[in-house]
Amino acid sequence: MNEDILRYPIGQFTPRAVTSEEERNNYTKEIGEIVPSLRKIVRDLNEDQLQTPYRSGGWTVRQVVHHMADNDINAYLRLKRGLTEEEPMASSYRPNVWAELNDYKETPIEISLVLLESLHHRLIHVIYGLKPADYNRRFNTEVLGWITVDVAIQRLIWHNKHHTSHIQSLAERMNW
């Protein structure tokens, strides 16, 4: 299979330049669907399957699930800073190094699934309270540069769908 398709099964992230109110209203729906969709895919996976990389040289299913939780923690904190501070420099992290820590290798994925559920509930409540101007607030990141709250939410949704697709496509290829 083509390496680009394995790495980016839903394509690379492209932010919407202009987002309608209806699209923004769908953010909460999309965020609310992330964990149930992920749970459906991983619910019957055994230990060997959780230890299977989604592609050659890629993370295992377990690492991907833990990464999703850690990424969303960081994204949530950056978003809240963007909403409460004037153009802050948001913190960064090194996901490839984090993925090598023991918690990624030994912690049951249920811990990260519960963490994602809780975090997404909080995020949905934050989004419900946003005013149109709040979506244009921005913050700076080392990796992404300047981004708006709107793009940060789009990216969080894409990122979760991206990794869920990694696991889904692996399960399909392996006939799990």
Side-chain angles (χ1 to χ4, degrees):
M1 182 173 266
N2 180 319
E3 183 68 21
D4 282 345
I5 291 172
L6 291 176
R7 287 185 67 136
Y8 298 100
I10 64 169
Q12 294 198 35
F13 176 70
T14 305
R16 292 182 210 96
V18 177
T19 310
S20 70
E21 185 177 341
E22 182 181 346
E23 288 172 316
R24 288 178 176 159
N25 289 337
N26 282 330
Y27 289 163
T28 57
K29 179 179 180 271
E30 289 184 80
I31 292 167
E33 293 170 349
I34 291 167
V35 176
S37 176
L38 181 58
R39 279 188 180 284
K40 185 176 178 183
I41 296 165
V42 301
R43 74 174 166 227
D44 295 324
L45 297 184
N46 63 39
E47 192 59 33
D48 288 339
Q49 292 166 330
L50 290 172
Q51 293 304 110
T52 304
Y54 73 92
R55 67 176 173 84
S56 177
W59 291 335
T60 66
V61 172
R62 180 186 309 278
Q63 287 172 304
V64 170
V65 172
H66 292 316
H67 164 71
M68 290 170 71
D70 282 349
N71 184 79
D72 283 12
I73 290 168
N74 280 282
Y76 177 76
L77 293 173
R78 287 190 298 263
L79 182 83
K80 297 246 329 205
R81 289 192 62 209
L83 290 167
T84 60
E85 299 173 29
E86 289 305 315
E87 298 188 337
M89 179 64 182
S91 63
S92 184
Y93 75 109
R94 297 172 55 199
N96 288 334
V97 178
W98 286 31
E100 295 304 317
L101 295 174
N102 284 348
D103 64 328
Y104 273 54
K105 296 177 180 179
E106 298 172 4
T107 303
I109 63 169
E110 182 61 22
I111 301 297
S112 285
L113 291 169
V114 169
L115 181 56
L116 278 168
E117 280 176 328
S118 299
L119 193 59
H120 290 175
H121 282 291
R122 293 275 308 270
L123 179 58
I124 287 167
H125 285 285
V126 169
I127 293 171
Y128 278 139
L130 296 181
K131 296 170 183 61
D134 292 333
Y135 288 96
N136 296 320
R137 293 184 63 92
R138 60 189 205 144
F139 54 91
N140 196 359
T141 72
E142 259 180 62
V143 176
L144 305 172
W146 287 101
I147 64 171
T148 63
V149 165
D150 194 48
V151 169
I153 295 168
Q154 291 174 39
R155 187 170 181 78
L156 178 136
I157 293 166
W158 171 87
H159 184 265
N160 280 284
K161 289 179 177 181
H162 165 73
H163 284 303
T164 300
S165 291
H166 282 151
I167 298 167
Q168 178 70 44
S169 69
L170 172 65
E172 289 170 2
R173 286 193 318 274
M174 302 296 284
N175 294 314
W176 291 344

